[in-house]
Amino acid sequence: MKISVLTMCPEFFDSFLNSVLVARGAKRDLLNIEIVDIRSFAGGSFRHIDDSPYGGGAGMIMRAGPVVSALESVLSENSHTVLFAPAGNTYTQQKAHEYSEKDHLILICGHYEGIDARVYPYCDELLSIGDYVLSGGEIAAMAVIDSVVRLLGTIRSESTEEESFENGLLEYPQYTKPRTFRGQEVPEVLLGGNHEKIRRWRLKESLRKTAETRPDLIAARQLSKEEKQLLEEIKEE
Ligand code: ADE
């Protein structure tokens, strides 16, 4: 898979590209990331990529010309173009899966107070990573790349399959050595080696955690008979 990141801050990505996960993806030929400096597509000696908004108002707006020229320099037949903006669709694990199937993802990092709306028709979608405002799309791009690259086979697949959100529930608690940490014990059931009991305990703890912190996920779920029963047990405790 190829990912092209269009940014006016290419240096933001220096250490990110050397991070274990991304470097491993590149080494195994699963991933090819290119960082494109939007500024190099701005003409004039000042290479200015922003200007004041028509109609007045605070802040500066990214000009359409340099962004679209940068986009056209990387566009291919199979590209999927994403523009980061707080007003976009919300990013989810399901989207991470969709993106991981793409041949070529183009991520455009917006900046300043916004981007000229005439860039939108060149993009397949606007994407937000949450209901808060970042000063630019770079951190959003890193979040997307990280979550997509983990699905490309850069880490053991069993470890992603049971994670939060993968089955619509939050993950159960995990423990490793020592058995006792400052008075806190590892739950007895995990020490016994009874796989069926462990599976049921983990499902119950996933349901407990999800019901506590994300009741919306429980409400949206088609609960199995076992899940309904476990939720009843939790209520009665
Ligand atoms: N740019 C500014 N805020 C953002 C957000 N929440 N998600 C994606 N891009 C952004």
Side-chain angles (χ1 to χ4, degrees), residues 92 118 153:
T92 58
R118 290 169 293 184

Side-chain angles (χ1 to χ4, degrees), residues 7-211:
T7 172
M8 50 175 268
C9 302
E11 67 283 358
F12 259 50
F13 291 87
D14 288 350
S15 62
F16 180 69
L17 294 186
N18 289 321
S19 66
V20 174
L21 185 75
V22 174
R24 196 186 290 162
K27 200 172 153 203
R28 294 191 191 162
D29 274 341
L30 297 166
L31 179 70
N32 167 15
I33 300 188
E34 68 175 339
I35 308 294
V36 178
D37 187 357
I38 296 173
R39 204 176 290 277
S40 65
F41 292 86
S45 45
F46 294 107
R47 294 199 176 278
H48 80 283
I49 57 171
D50 61 315
D51 217 321
S52 50
Y54 276 118
M60 300 292 269
I61 305 297
M62 271 175 98
R63 293 168 52 224
V67 177
V68 172
S69 298
L71 172 58
E72 285 171 345
S73 79
V74 297
L75 206 60
S76 63
E77 227 171 65
N78 299 322
S79 303
H80 182 78
T81 303
V82 174
L83 171 65
F84 290 111
N89 299 322
T90 306
Y91 191 56
T92 58
Q93 187 67 16
Q94 193 191 327
K95 271 217 176 289
H97 278 280
E98 278 170 38
Y99 289 174
S100 70
E101 304 286 321
K102 305 274 184 208
D103 289 332
H104 184 203
L105 203 54
I106 301 176
L107 305 177
I108 306 179
C109 304
H111 246 259
Y112 299 107
E113 304 306 314
I115 196 160
D116 190 312
R118 290 169 293 184
V119 172
Y120 297 171
Y122 295 87
C123 303
D124 294 307
E125 70 180 307
L126 260 62
L127 189 75
S128 163
I129 59 162
D131 289 344
Y132 42 82
V133 180
L134 300 165
S135 52
E138 283 75 13
I139 290 170
M142 290 183 211
V144 166
I145 294 169
D146 187 282
S147 54
V148 168
V149 172
R150 331 180 48 255
L151 301 175
L152 294 179
T154 46
I155 52 177
R156 279 187 26 229
S157 65
E158 315 91 86
S159 67
T160 54
E161 277 159 18
E162 299 209 340
E163 281 168 352
S164 290
F165 304 113
E166 284 297 349
N167 65 356
L169 296 173
L170 302 182
E171 199 183 6
Y172 49 79
Q174 297 268 36
Y175 303 86
T176 185
K177 292 186 184 82
R179 269 175 75 155
T180 309
F181 173 71
R182 299 192 181 185
Q184 294 189 74
E185 300 286 343
V186 172
E188 200 62 40
V189 62
L190 300 178
L191 308 171
N194 182 328
H195 296 301
E196 175 51 21
K197 276 192 178 163
I198 292 173
R199 183 199 64 77
R200 200 171 154 83
W201 180 87
R202 285 178 166 165
L203 177 58
K204 186 171 180 180
E205 294 313 307
S206 273
L207 288 163
R208 189 194 307 279
K209 177 90 190 128
T210 312

